[in-house]
Amino acid sequence: VHRTSLPTLVPIMIGSTSSSTERSLAKILAPYLSDPTNAFVISSDFAHWGTRFGYTYYAASSGNPTLLSRSSKSPKDPEIHESIRQVDFESIAACESGSHEGWGKELRRTGNTVCGQHPIGVMLAMMEEVGVGEEGRFKFVRYERSSLVKSIGESSVSYASAFAVI
């Protein structure tokens, strides 16, 4: 048997679920998070923006956010890709806060289409469960978008990389 110093990866699939289920799963998994021989890897894209994804939230420089439609004139203040970035960074800040509740509130506020929102929610709830404190919170290290959307007919997927050492 070949030994390695890397932990065994155990895949866990978490689909669309509720905040209370995220907390229940966190209670079950928290002892594994407390064990330094374990590692958790969570994968998720961030915003899937565009009419083809059914998500066109736009945060204007002034006034209330709106959902753009196919017939909307392409806004310029800010350009759409800057609004996408702003919304993503608000979601990133909510994740970095370490608050499971704050993460959920932010996603409900904007409807941001973070496809791995529930696995991230479980991890945030686990971190709260074991009391990781500020030093163990997620730290985001990179952010990219598949395109810089300028008109309503375009689309984009956002990607963000983060880590946490517990």
Side-chain angles (χ1 to χ4, degrees):
V1 175
H2 177 44
R3 296 281 179 199
T4 178
S5 62
L6 297 174
T8 301
L9 290 178
V10 179
I12 301 171
M13 219 38 192
I14 300 171
S16 183
T17 190
S18 66
S19 179
S20 62
T21 299
E22 289 174 3
R23 287 204 179 276
S24 295
L25 289 169
K27 286 182 189 306
I28 294 166
L29 295 170
Y32 300 98
L33 184 63
S34 296
D35 182 343
T37 64
N38 292 325
F40 285 79
V41 178
I42 296 146
S43 178
S44 174
D45 298 336
F46 262 61
H48 288 67
W49 195 97
T51 56
R52 72 185 183 124
F53 298 121
Y55 181 68
T56 56
Y57 185 92
Y58 176 77
S61 292
S62 60
N64 292 326
T66 187
L67 297 177
L68 302 176
S69 69
R70 291 183 195 275
S71 61
S72 297
K73 184 179 177 193
S74 295
K76 302 284 186 227
D77 187 26
E79 289 198 18
I80 295 170
H81 67 89
E82 287 303 320
S83 169
I84 295 168
R85 182 182 188 283
Q86 175 188 329
V87 171
D88 276 338
F89 271 72
E90 289 166 358
S91 297
I92 285 169
C95 187
E96 286 183 324
S97 78
S99 169
H100 176 259
E101 183 179 341
W103 169 250
K105 280 183 180 177
E106 178 59 23
L107 295 181
R108 285 188 299 278
R109 182 183 73 81
T110 64
N112 198 348
T113 52
V114 178
C115 61
Q117 65 181 287
H118 298 293
I120 293 169
V122 170
M123 186 66 181
L124 288 168
M126 276 194 298
M127 294 163 109
E128 286 180 349
E129 189 72 26
V130 301
V132 297
E134 256 184 74
E135 69 285 345
R137 292 183 186 164
F138 280 114
K139 293 168 185 60
F140 281 77
V141 294
R142 187 156 181 180
Y143 174 79
E144 299 290 338
R145 288 164 285 174
S146 62
S147 66
L148 299 179
V149 175
K150 293 184 179 182
S151 73
I152 187 66
E154 298 172 348
S155 62
S156 175
V157 177
S158 304
Y159 309 94
S161 300
F163 72 94
V165 178
I166 311 299

